[in-house]
Amino acid sequence: MKTPFHIMLVPTLGCPSHCAYCWSSEEGSPVMSIETLREVAEWLRDFRDDPATVTFHGGEPLLAGAAFYRQALPMLAEALSRQGCYFALQTNLWRMTPEIAEVLAAYRVPLGSSIDGPRDLNDLQRGDGYFDKTMRGYEIARAHGLDVSFICTFTRHSVEHREEIFQFFLENAFTLKLHPALPSLRGSEPEKWALSPEKYGELLVYLLDQALEHMGEIDVMNINDLCRCVFTRRGTVCTFADCMGNTFAIGPDGSIYPCYRFIGMPAYVMGHVRDRPTAEDLAASAAGQLMQAYKEFVDGHCGGCAHIGYCRGGCPYNAITPTGGEIKDVDPHCTAYKRIFDEINDRLNDEMFNAPSMMEANPFGSRRRKPAKPGVMTLMHRIAMK
């Protein structure tokens, strides 16, 4: 199966929040012009023949305002009408208004937002008032029929409160997607909030247990994706997939990058939309060659790993940027990935080959079915049926 084509469109790097573990810029950061937006649409018109997902990311993409999306959505939908186009948007929801919600609802744009748990825990990491501002935006989005899911960033601090955080998501019926805090590339204390790979691995196993115990009550997207990777033997999300050549990000000035996380780093510019670069042009750029070199490094470094087919060394950004662009190792969360992939594989094998008989004899000689606790195979069946 081919990796889906994904464009991350970043209208601005500005953000009104100042999360402790983030690299946020000021709210006054430049916003993509409509002229640049037209260049994006024209570049995409003939760039690929397969359907595209366009995710508006940031910074905070809602800073671009309702007028931007009123033009952007139809412009991109028309340019990609031959191939097919799907939209998504990642936002802290602070700038959500009924006007913006109406524009997004007309195109059924699903929203991803960020909340790190209950108010006190969240605001400790993301700043005073963050929780209430996000919840106000959430209510506006839901009132207009928009689907909202949440990313929860686990830090060195919050991972010790994993039970409280999980209960918060469960009680509020929020879909949970988690993200581990990474060492800061710009702060003076890079490890202050970073979640260690060992703790991350333990967290993933904990959430696997909780996802199975509360099946039908909550979706833990990471667990769904990780199980799908093992079950299908291929990566299905960007961290665990061959994203290179299938995912690109476009910054506010129209520069093209391998991923939104590289935006603002000149060494990773692959081209510009005004020049209408082909896939071959982007691959031939210095940044494109670096991505290819990382891919080849993974083939050698991880060749003996049982999970290479659906892990692919994890995220290239995580692996390359901490070393200043030198390829020295794979994603530093490799330890965590191995831990959870081994766990899922072991449980699948146990369920398929070592499960006790579902029938047991009662004292009168008849046989009755033993109830079985839901396992990974049950979860995969549930996901497949959605």
Side-chain angles (χ1 to χ4, degrees):
M1 292 178 64
K2 190 175 182 180
T3 303
F5 177 38
H6 188 194
I7 289 292
M8 297 177 172
L9 189 61
V10 177
T12 179
L13 290 174
C15 184
S17 62
H18 297 278
C19 301
Y21 46 76
C22 187
W23 52 266
S24 174
S25 61
E26 292 300 320
E27 191 171 330
S29 184
V31 175
M32 180 179 286
S33 69
I34 297 304
E35 181 55 40
T36 298
L37 181 62
R38 289 194 185 95
E39 296 281 10
V40 172
E42 289 307 310
W43 173 60
L44 289 175
R45 187 182 298 276
D46 298 312
F47 181 68
R48 291 269 290 252
D49 290 328
D50 43 341
T53 295
V54 177
T55 299
F56 297 95
H57 218 293
E60 172 45 58
L62 293 190
L63 289 176
F68 177 87
Y69 291 100
R70 195 174 288 112
Q71 295 181 74
L73 292 169
M75 191 182 297
L76 292 166
E78 187 280 326
L80 290 162
S81 59
R82 177 175 58 86
Q83 303 93 327
C85 181
Y86 309 91
F87 294 112
L89 189 145
Q90 184 67 33
T91 170
N92 63 22
L93 291 170
W94 290 17
R95 297 306 172 90
M96 179 60 70
T97 64
E99 184 181 9
I100 292 177
E102 288 174 7
V103 175
L104 298 177
Y107 285 83
R108 299 180 181 178
V109 181
L111 306 181
S113 191
S114 299
I115 209 83
D116 290 352
R119 180 182 286 102
D120 290 347
L121 263 172
N122 178 86
D123 287 3
L124 174 68
Q125 300 186 163
R126 289 187 171 268
D128 291 342
Y130 186 108
F131 184 94
D132 290 337
K133 291 175 184 177
T134 295
M135 287 298 106
R136 281 196 294 271
Y138 172 77
E139 294 301 331
I140 294 172
R142 294 297 297 133
H144 286 79
L146 292 167
D147 290 331
V148 183
S149 58
F150 288 98
I151 292 176
C152 176
T153 298
F154 279 86
T155 67
R156 181 187 298 250
H157 170 75
S158 67
V159 75
E160 304 302 329
H161 302 270
R162 62 188 189 184
E163 293 86 359
E164 182 182 351
I165 293 170
F166 181 82
Q167 196 62 32
F168 166 81
F169 277 84
L170 183 64
E171 290 174 356
N172 285 280
F174 291 158
T175 296
L176 170 61
K177 184 175 181 179
L178 69 110
H179 175 75
L182 298 164
S184 172
L185 298 179
R186 310 186 189 204
S188 58
E189 299 178 89
E191 300 291 339
K192 181 177 179 180
W193 296 96
L195 184 65
S196 72
E198 293 74 22
K199 285 287 187 180
Y200 185 27
E202 293 173 9
L203 174 65
L204 289 171
V205 173
Y206 166 78
L207 289 173
L208 173 61
D209 289 334
Q210 295 305 307
L212 296 179
E213 182 177 340
H214 296 280
M215 197 180 303
E217 300 174 67
I218 186 172
D219 273 328
V220 184
M221 297 308 297
N222 303 68
I223 298 304
N224 291 354
D225 292 332
L226 290 163
C227 289
R228 191 182 290 111
C229 283
V230 173
F231 204 77
T232 63
R233 316 308 288 180
R234 65 180 296 273
T236 58
V237 290
C238 66
T239 302
F240 308 113
D242 188 2
C243 61
M244 300 167 205
N246 294 298
T247 296
F248 298 100
I250 304 171
D253 67 348
S255 294
I256 304 168
Y257 300 80
C259 175
Y260 83 98
R261 298 174 74 185
F262 292 104
I263 290 180
M265 304 171 76
Y268 296 95
V269 173
M270 306 177 80
H272 195 283
V273 291
R274 65 169 173 262
D275 300 321
R276 310 288 193 272
T278 64
E280 292 74 21
D281 293 332
L282 298 179
S285 68
Q289 290 295 298
L290 182 63
M291 295 298 108
Q292 179 61 33
Y294 177 73
K295 183 175 179 177
E296 293 169 1
F297 174 82
V298 169
D299 288 337
H301 185 275
C302 305
C305 179
H307 311 303
I308 185 175
Y310 45 84
C311 177
R312 297 300 310 161
C315 176
Y317 174 90
N318 292 353
I320 295 172
T321 51
T323 61
E326 290 187 65
I327 301 172
K328 296 181 177 180
D329 206 345
V330 295
D331 187 330
H333 282 130
C334 172
T335 302
Y337 305 151
K338 282 185 178 179
R339 173 80 189 275
I340 189 62
F341 282 137
D342 284 345
E343 186 74 23
I344 294 169
N345 269 290
D346 289 347
R347 294 192 190 196
L348 268 176
N349 288 333
D350 187 60
E351 289 172 28
M352 288 190 290
F353 303 116
N354 300 315
S357 172
M358 293 292 289
M359 307 293 286
E360 63 177 2
N362 69 23
F364 302 100
S366 63
R367 296 171 70 80
R368 62 185 180 189
R369 185 171 296 275
K370 292 174 66 176
K373 291 179 66 176
V376 173
M377 292 183 70
T378 308
L379 178 61
M380 287 310 307
H381 178 73
R382 182 181 179 85
I383 295 169
M385 294 299 289
K386 285 188 176 181

